Amino acid sequence: MKWVLNPYDEFAVEEALRTKEQFGGEVVLVTMGPARCREALRTGLAMGADSSVHIEDDNFAFSDNYVVGKIIANEIKNLGEYDLIFTGFKIIDDESVQVGIHIAEELGIPHVALVSKVVRIDPDQKRVTCQKEIDGGHVIVDVPMPALITCPDAMNEPRYASLPGIMKAKKKPLKEVLVDDINLEALGLSRESLGKDGARVKTTSIKVPQIERKLKVITGKDNPAVKGDEIIESTHELIKLLREEAKVV
Amino acid sequence: MSNEVWVVADLKLDGSIRKVTFEALSEARRKLVGKIGGNLCGVLLGSGVSNLAPELGKYGAEKVYVVDNELLKDSNPDGYTKALADLIKKYEPYIVIAGNTNLAEDYLPRVAGRVQAGLTMDSIDLDLTDDNRLKIQRYSHSSKVISTQEFLDHKPMMTTVRPNSFKPEEDQKDPEIVNESVDFNSEDIWTNVVEIKAKKSDLPPLTEADRVVSGGRGLGSEENFKYIYELAEAFDAAPGATRAAVDAGYCPYDMQVGQTGKAVSPNLYVAVAISGAIQHFSGMGSSKVIVAINKDPDAPIFKKCDYGICGDLFELLPPLTDEVKKLLQD
Ligand SMILES: Cc1cc2nc3c(=O)[nH]c(=O)nc-3n(C[C@H](O)[C@H](O)[C@H](O)COP(=O)(O)OP(=O)(O)OC[C@H]3O[C@@H](n4cnc5c(N)ncnc54)[C@H](O)[C@@H]3O)c2cc1C
């Protein structure tokens, strides 16, 4: 069995390592991004992953999510057989939830989003049962493997890399892939479809949100904090402000 | 290629339509449909949903596409993917919009991949460029900035909208109903739903709530979180929490607000014993009015709130809860 990961996310790494501890197999980290991602891969290897693949090229910067998904899916295919892929739920920088799911679509395998718990893995029937978060509750689903699972924050408690782990990680394979190594045409992509200029959605401007806050803080008279009789007065005053000034109650 | 703007209805577990769907219909009508000279259409996917079409008409849908199929029960994400992708391929809409719910985050990226569309998530503003390409605004970079993003001239253009960002506004129409059947193969549906556990709660869902009351690490225990639930109930608000509170086991992850939790945008956000970390603000910084209750006069949150009380939550919350109850009962 093989457990593949992308993009780097400590909850996803932890979940893959636990799966390996239970069922054996191999954990391969796959990520795409600038040189600094290598740090994250080293950490993942130090936590216990077996090897890693880093797709690194400036040509990929600001690529559309579907392009990123396609290229990562292709690298995963190149790794041979696998059973589960764990990815982070969001890519923190961009708050994008898309890439993981694009990978699953590209590979033609099921995905289970926002999994709060992997309930059961059945290697014989090749099925995985998960508890996933949905609006207004949660649901238990099961899907055939191979499958992709997106891991939210707080899914587990990621382990720390131990000193021997860090030493061992230095000797573990870290494969690098550049744009020239990829047969873009075979993926239905071209150099033009990479990066910012090929994106279907382009960021044209950014601004810092400016919300003026009123900054009215009620404090105690003799002490920074309200105490005793002031308590009731302060709650009165707050309600009055919410009602008459802010008009939200 | 048609000039239709589609809004896909988001359904709650009880089968009713979420408010965000009406918000999306209203904003699409105000900002997009007139300018591109198109039609506003609703899309209903589910099992036993045909009777919901008039509700979309109430908010301006002139036409409603309905796929009513047993396999779409419980908003099955694989079923939704297949049904919506097939509809898009057949009718080639101009723009497709859905609410930014867990469900949309789950299946829409797959649909976009399958129909080769551009997709942005969680828009807080919808607009068009001079040449009628979709132009949206969304929070990015851990919500420190708002990005304006434009679509290439490549259809359909797809986006989700953040709940509570747009005003729902009725515009009664008597929509034409287009019943569509989708041929499902056994390989189309991978996900087998074993069990659904709906949260037993009369309180509104976090992302859609008009008011939110959140607690932080300062609550100190799961037991003490009752102070948060009680104040939330008094306000008819949804309860929320910081990651520190979730990590400490005081409450479940689905209450987490912030960069790695839920993004909320209520009219009133009450932060109790929350220091005001940037990662927390990235999930609630766009709230209209922020109230902070904290015993530390130097807590960073006092520098980014509208109203605050510096004091001990255990002394302040019980009388505050009583007062809110009284006020809202009148
Ligand atoms: C990658 C990353 C992602 C993150 N994502 C999130 C996220 O999604 N959401 C999130 O919330 N955080 C997130 N965090 C964590 C964030 O940085 C903060 O650590 C967290 O928000 C702090 O939570 P807190 O305010 O409850 O706790 P603290 O910072 O410990 O603050 C507790 C506050 O309670 C006050 N207090 C204590 N007792 C009382 C009392 N009796 N009465 C009144 N006040 C009292 C204290 O004065 C203090 O200000 C993330 C961090 C990282 C690195």
Side-chain angles (χ1 to χ4, degrees), chain B residues 216-217 242-243 256-257 259-260 273 275 279-280 294-295 313:
Chain B
R217 193 191 333 248
T242 62
R243 171 155 144 189
Q256 183 173 319
V257 172
Q259 184 180 319
T260 44
S275 59
Q279 294 89 353
H280 188 69
N294 199 303
K295 69 177 179 189
L313 83 94

Side-chain angles (χ1 to χ4, degrees), chain B residues 168-201:
Chain B
E169 195 181 358
E170 291 188 15
D171 176 38
Q172 188 67 53
K173 293 274 155 51
D174 182 15
E176 174 196 345
I177 310 289
V178 182
N179 281 302
E180 277 293 321
S181 59
V182 169
D183 289 328
F184 287 102
N185 297 319
S186 54
E187 313 87 82
D188 292 329
I189 312 280
W190 287 302
T191 305
N192 169 33
V193 176
V194 182
E195 188 186 355
I196 296 186
K197 293 182 189 157
K199 250 203 302 200
K200 289 190 288 304
S201 170

